[in-house]
Amino acid sequence: SLRRRMKVSRVGKFIRPASVVYLGAVLEYLLAEVLELAGNCARDNKRKIIKPRHVMMAVEMDDELKPLFSDVIMPSSGVVPGVHTCLIGKRDQDTFRGWARQGLSKTQVGTKE
């Protein structure tokens, strides 16, 4: 039960039953909020099943849930789509000049460092 887990993790000296009910209600609300947003994301992508990708996209697009999940790593969810701002800038003939001399495009085979 939730109260037993709170006692084992030593949340406080005394664990009242009302605090367990309150914590259960908060967890239920957060789960309902995340699942609702993930369901909307799945529906927007024309899918019937909510996958980890939809949960991650829902959390990343919501301003209130994003700080809660900032340190969470969701397996098999991918990355947030988007193009970096440095790639959107104006390109001219001098943009990529000098890249071949920097060794960014080819790796040196057989050289020891």
Side-chain angles (χ1 to χ4, degrees), residues 26-37:
V26 169
L27 290 175
E28 181 183 2
Y29 172 74
L30 283 175
L31 181 67
E33 188 74 24
V34 169
L35 282 178
E36 179 186 358
L37 293 173

Side-chain angles (χ1 to χ4, degrees), residues 13-24:
K13 192 171 183 180
F14 299 107
I15 306 297
R16 297 184 182 193
S19 64
V20 177
V21 172
Y22 186 79
L23 179 63

Side-chain angles (χ1 to χ4, degrees), residues 79-91 96 99:
V79 296
V80 179
V83 179
H84 199 273
T85 56
C86 71
L87 300 174
I88 297 175
K90 183 180 176 185
R91 292 184 301 269
F96 300 109
W99 280 22

Side-chain angles (χ1 to χ4, degrees), residues 13 30 33 37 41 50 54 70 80 94 108:
K13 192 171 183 180
L30 283 175
E33 188 74 24
L37 293 173
C41 186
I50 298 175
H54 302 127
S70 63
V80 179
D94 295 332
Q108 300 293 331

Side-chain angles (χ1 to χ4, degrees), residues 19-98:
S19 64
V20 177
V21 172
Y22 186 79
L23 179 63
V26 169
L27 290 175
E28 181 183 2
Y29 172 74
L30 283 175
L31 181 67
E33 188 74 24
V34 169
L35 282 178
E36 179 186 358
L37 293 173
N40 293 341
C41 186
R43 187 186 65 226
D44 293 342
N45 291 326
K46 299 177 184 172
R47 302 284 188 257
K48 292 184 179 181
I49 298 173
I50 298 175
K51 294 188 177 183
R53 173 82 177 157
H54 302 127
V55 175
M56 191 267 310
M57 291 298 296
V59 167
E60 288 295 323
M61 298 301 170
D62 190 52
D63 294 333
E64 295 173 350
L65 291 176
K66 194 172 183 178
L68 287 175
F69 288 85
S70 63
D71 297 332
V72 175
I73 298 172
M74 295 185 198
S76 71
S77 62
V79 296
V80 179
V83 179
H84 199 273
T85 56
C86 71
L87 300 174
I88 297 175
K90 183 180 176 185
R91 292 184 301 269
D92 56 358
Q93 61 184 7
D94 295 332
T95 301
F96 300 109
R97 183 173 292 180

